[in-house]
Amino acid sequence: MATGDVRAASAPSSGNVRLMTVVVSHLNNPEGRQALSTAVAEARARSARLVVVAPAVPHEAPGGEALAEVLARLDQFGVTHEVVTAPGDLAEALVDAAVRTRAELIVIGLRRRSPVGKLILGAGAQRILLDAPCPVLAVKS
């Protein structure tokens, strides 16, 4: 599996009750922040837990500034969450997390593209759309 260590979690579900899950990819850029905001709103509306898949940054220690910012934002919103770092391919890790958690939705962020760029969707986004076990919500910043 392409996912790495779980860095933080809050309020796991109790008993045999299985919370629905929304999975989001997060990069520390405008698209990643918009995807996270949208995923939080979707998780809250669905009473679902949120799984955030973030790239493992080799020069950033566990609990580094970018990850700490994400965790602080999630704690603010009071949504049940899990953050998983992806040491390899983020698209593969996102799909793996969706399969593992039986997610009901994946949220990804996309950036605006030039007219030529619009003809070709990014390779990672295309793989997520084709391999996802559930609907994918693409948001733009």
Side-chain angles (χ1 to χ4, degrees), residues 6-12 49-50 71 74-75 79-84:
V6 173
R7 298 289 184 209
S10 75
R49 78 183 177 116
L50 183 64
L71 293 173
L74 292 173
D75 288 339
V79 65
T80 301
H81 61 275
E82 171 186 344
V83 176
V84 179

Side-chain angles (χ1 to χ4, degrees), residues 5 11 13 18 20 25 44 47-48 57 73 85 108 112 137:
D5 296 330
S13 61
R18 181 169 173 80
M20 293 184 279
S25 66
R44 291 178 80 187
S47 298
V57 182
R73 288 181 66 195
T85 56
I108 60 173
R112 291 186 179 268
L137 174 60

Side-chain angles (χ1 to χ4, degrees), residues 78-141:
V79 65
T80 301
H81 61 275
E82 171 186 344
V83 176
V84 179
T85 56
D89 180 44
L90 187 60
E92 181 182 336
L94 187 69
V95 171
D96 286 349
V99 169
R100 176 179 55 84
T101 63
R102 289 183 244 151
E104 69 173 276
L105 180 69
I106 295 173
V107 181
I108 60 173
L110 297 176
R111 67 178 182 270
R112 291 186 179 268
R113 295 186 177 269
S114 67
V116 172
K118 289 178 183 176
L119 295 174
I120 305 170
L121 188 62
Q126 184 175 4
R127 285 196 347 258
I128 293 165
L129 290 169
L130 293 174
D131 295 343
C134 59
V136 177
L137 174 60
V139 297
K140 61 183 181 178
S141 59

